[in-house]
Amino acid sequence: MKWQRPALLWTAVLAAGLGLWAGHRLTPAPEVPPSSPAPAAAPALPVLRPGDALPALVLPGIDGHALDVRQRFAGRPLLVNVWASWCGPCIDEMPELARFAEGQGAQGVQVLGLALDTPEDVQAFVQRVPVGYPIVIETPGPRDASVQLGNTQGLLPYSVLFDAQGRLVKAKLGPFAHGEIEDWAK
């Protein structure tokens, strides 16, 4: 009878294990109460293409006053450069943009800096690196002014050129090299 005790013990352990497994597998999962429906996603912004109009943008300048981009820059070509104070390539191209803007005169291409940054960081930056062209400020986000201007990748620097009628001519992702802006803005 001694040989039957271990076999009987193993049979009992196996039966108990199978019973636990079967109970777990055959027990219905608890019902989860229906949750509220997810909010509808915001419609995607249309991607700006050559010939498209400058979007309606009203953004605060570094002085805190709202600037209507369409109204302020109407009638002349406009180069919008999107940058941030923490972006190394953006900072490297600033002297080129400033030189280009200064050389345009009353009839040439206008330059607008669009900082995806905080007002405090932009103010501190322009105190260290004076810039002679207007700068507006935007909070970065999935529908910010940079995205509205076609920067769907969200990379910096990003520049766009609009003609005198406010139609997109071209866009550039990445910094301008020395002397490149004049040819690019033709």
Side-chain angles (χ1 to χ4, degrees):
M1 286 274 197
K2 286 186 179 182
W3 64 270
Q4 289 179 347
R5 277 191 193 160
L8 188 58
L9 180 63
W10 282 112
T11 302
V13 168
L14 183 59
L18 283 172
L20 288 172
W21 176 81
H24 174 72
R25 297 284 292 164
L26 298 176
T27 303
E31 285 193 34
V32 177
S35 61
S36 61
L45 290 173
V47 175
L48 212 58
R49 300 195 190 293
D52 288 350
L54 173 65
L57 300 173
V58 178
L59 299 166
I62 57 175
D63 61 0
H65 294 97
L67 188 144
D68 183 322
V69 175
R70 277 186 183 167
Q71 182 180 11
R72 166 69 166 74
F73 298 100
R76 287 179 39 207
L78 172 65
L79 186 158
V80 180
N81 176 256
V82 184
W83 66 284
S85 64
W86 46 263
C87 168
C90 301
I91 294 166
D92 292 344
E93 77 175 353
M94 283 285 200
E96 278 298 299
L97 287 162
R99 184 188 57 73
F100 175 76
E102 287 174 19
Q104 292 304 299
Q107 300 304 314
V109 177
Q110 303 170 92
V111 176
L112 172 67
L114 169 57
L116 295 181
D117 218 322
T118 65
E120 299 80 23
D121 289 342
V122 173
Q123 286 287 356
F125 178 83
V126 296
Q127 286 178 358
R128 290 188 322 273
V129 181
V131 176
Y133 53 84
I135 295 177
V136 291
I137 303 169
E138 173 75 305
T139 302
R143 298 177 67 80
D144 66 34
S146 170
V147 175
Q148 293 178 53
L149 292 172
N151 188 8
T152 57
Q153 296 179 1
L155 301 175
L156 299 176
Y158 177 75
S159 298
V160 288
L161 180 65
F162 292 90
D163 65 17
Q165 290 74 44
R167 301 283 175 196
L168 179 67
V169 176
K170 56 181 142 182
K172 175 180 175 29
L173 183 59
F176 287 107
H178 181 71
E180 179 184 7
I181 300 173
E182 286 81 6
D183 289 336
W184 186 83
K186 286 183 182 178

